[in-house]
Amino acid sequence: MTINVYTEQTPNPATMKFMVNKLLINGSEDFATKESAEHSPFAKELFKFNFVSGVFFASNFVTITKTDDAEWADIEAILKEFVKGAVESELKIKEATAEEAPAFEGSETEIKIQQILHDYVRPAVEQDGGAITYKSFDEGVVTVELRGSCSGCPSSTITLKSGIQNLLQRMVPEVTEVVSEAL
């Protein structure tokens, strides 16, 4: 199979989404630091580039965060070629583990919130090269964690308040607010 790689800009100018025509991973993996990539051969190799400051994998893409001193015009082609070679050689994203369906836990309301985030919000956030994780629900406030290109993105607050909060408030009347936990 010939691997094709194309790039997409994300709402976060420091990140770029490198899409491939192959499923890379079920779920997602976030490597915000070089140290966190210890058990990911793919991410570890990406961090060898001195202009890479973060790596995030989901379905058929890898979102790469660049350092402030790097310009996409200078590094995009290099990273595209690397991603193509890594996928072709089947470089592992993480150590193999059994994949499970998401297990939602908590009260009936918490399970409903998690299901909505999984079914409606996660796919949309992944389109922009990011991921969302449910953290908690307490006294009407849903706390989530944004990762990948969503972490530190200028438009993530708008997404959080206008998109996710409005959706949850419509579907789960107990929700009064959605906040993001800082990484």
Side-chain angles (χ1 to χ4, degrees):
M1 175 181 185
T2 302
I3 298 298
N4 297 314
V5 181
Y6 67 95
T7 56
E8 275 185 15
Q9 291 185 328
T10 71
N12 184 347
T15 68
M16 183 152 314
K17 192 172 168 183
F18 292 78
M19 308 281 297
V20 298
N21 58 327
K22 178 181 179 180
L23 181 68
L24 298 175
I25 186 172
N26 285 317
S28 64
E29 288 291 324
D30 190 19
F31 303 99
T33 64
K34 188 175 190 172
E35 295 73 31
S36 67
E38 188 59 37
H39 298 292
S40 171
F42 198 143
K44 197 191 284 190
E45 288 300 313
L46 278 167
F47 275 110
K48 288 183 179 177
F49 292 104
N50 63 356
F51 48 77
V52 171
S53 67
V55 178
F56 173 78
F57 296 95
S59 59
N60 68 328
F61 66 87
V62 55
T63 299
I64 299 173
T65 305
K66 69 173 185 64
T67 56
D68 291 338
D69 59 344
E71 296 298 327
W72 284 118
D74 299 329
I75 63 174
E76 183 178 348
I78 295 165
L79 290 170
K80 256 176 107 167
E81 194 59 37
F82 174 82
V83 169
K84 178 177 172 52
V87 173
E88 286 174 342
S89 67
E90 299 185 3
L91 193 57
K92 292 194 181 312
I93 292 171
K94 64 177 185 170
E95 303 304 324
T97 57
E99 291 294 330
E100 297 177 16
F104 304 130
E105 297 178 349
S107 68
E108 190 175 318
T109 301
E110 289 174 297
I111 290 170
K112 188 172 183 182
I113 292 166
Q114 292 169 66
Q115 189 73 54
I116 292 166
L117 289 173
H118 183 269
D119 294 347
Y120 299 100
V121 178
R122 181 187 54 84
V125 171
E126 283 182 357
Q127 286 295 316
D128 285 337
I132 185 168
T133 306
Y134 169 82
K135 289 300 193 182
S136 65
F137 176 67
D138 186 37
E139 296 183 17
V141 179
V142 176
T143 303
V144 297
E145 179 182 88
L146 297 171
R147 299 188 326 264
S149 69
C150 297
S151 178
C153 173
S155 63
S156 65
T157 303
I158 296 164
T159 300
L160 196 66
K161 297 297 180 183
S162 298
I164 300 167
Q165 182 171 296
N166 287 347
L167 174 70
L168 284 172
Q169 286 175 328
R170 279 196 320 272
M171 297 177 85
V172 185
E174 298 87 345
V175 173
T176 57
E177 185 180 13
V178 177
V179 297
S180 179
E181 185 177 86
L183 289 177

